[in-house]
Amino acid sequence: MKILVINGPNINMLGIREPEIYGSKTYADLVELIKKEAESLGVEVKFFQSNHEGAIVDEIQQAYGKFDGIVINPAAYTHTSVALLDAVKAVGIPTVEVHISDPDTRDEFRKISYIRQACVATVKGKGFDGYIEAMKLLTKNNKI
Ligand code: CA2
């Protein structure tokens, strides 16, 4: 099984500012954590982080026929992007939406998620562990 882990804008800045919301660990720490979990789940994993909406759309499209699952934290594009929603719908790959914080308990504008309707599940407010939960959900889904 192959899982693509996508992170959106500013996730590369994790650990640098706003530790009270996102924790003090970095993007590199996140990648390490997921790699370890992927090993124990026996899945192959690819990481992609971009600050550019179109680049994320391109990455989702190239996953078609190559990946069995997508874990995506679209970051701010969660709340703005119909293009990401359409891309996930277009490829039809089981996708789990992840958020480190719980956007539903923050600013009003963070309560909207466009991508959510194309996702098999949403994991939010669980810190980095949310990505692990998402991987487990996808591996389970794949066995059914
Ligand atoms: O909680 C999440 O994972 C979010 O997707 C993170 C996004 C935010 O726009 C979403 O509403 C919820 C922000 C990504 C990281 O932003 C940083 C801001 C300051 C310092 C470091 C990262």
Side-chain angles (χ1 to χ4, degrees):
M1 184 179 187
K2 287 173 78 174
I3 294 179
L4 175 62
V5 180
I6 299 177
N7 279 287
N10 298 307
I11 296 285
N12 55 319
M13 299 293 281
L14 284 177
I16 296 169
R17 290 198 51 211
E18 298 197 80
E20 67 287 358
I21 301 175
Y22 303 115
S24 53
K25 299 236 167 106
T26 65
Y27 177 67
D29 294 330
L30 176 64
V31 167
E32 272 319 297
L33 177 81
I34 297 171
K35 270 188 190 165
K36 275 192 195 138
E37 185 63 25
E39 241 176 71
S40 82
L41 288 171
V43 304
E44 207 178 302
V45 74
K46 180 191 173 187
F47 297 92
F48 182 77
Q49 189 279 326
S50 178
N51 297 325
H52 305 278
E53 187 176 13
I56 299 171
V57 171
D58 287 345
E59 188 65 19
I60 294 169
Q61 286 186 10
Q62 71 76 38
Y64 181 71
K66 292 190 196 136
F67 285 87
D68 310 293
I70 297 174
V71 172
I72 186 165
N73 182 347
Y77 291 140
T78 307
H79 319 300
T80 62
S81 181
V82 177
L84 292 188
L85 165 67
D86 287 345
V88 171
K89 279 187 175 170
V91 296
I93 299 170
T95 298
V96 178
E97 174 192 15
V98 174
H99 298 286
I100 297 164
S101 67
D102 182 354
D104 293 331
T105 63
R106 298 176 61 194
D107 318 89
E108 268 313 296
F109 62 83
R110 292 185 205 273
K111 290 181 181 159
I112 293 165
S113 168
Y114 286 97
I115 206 166
R116 193 158 300 169
Q117 64 164 267
C119 294
V120 295
T122 296
V123 183
K124 55 193 176 68
K126 297 189 173 171
F128 283 10
D129 288 345
Y131 291 83
I132 304 302
E133 193 173 317
M135 306 245 302
K136 287 180 178 162
L137 284 169
L138 285 173
T139 52
K140 234 189 266 168
N141 272 358
N142 205 257
K143 278 179 201 147
I144 292 166

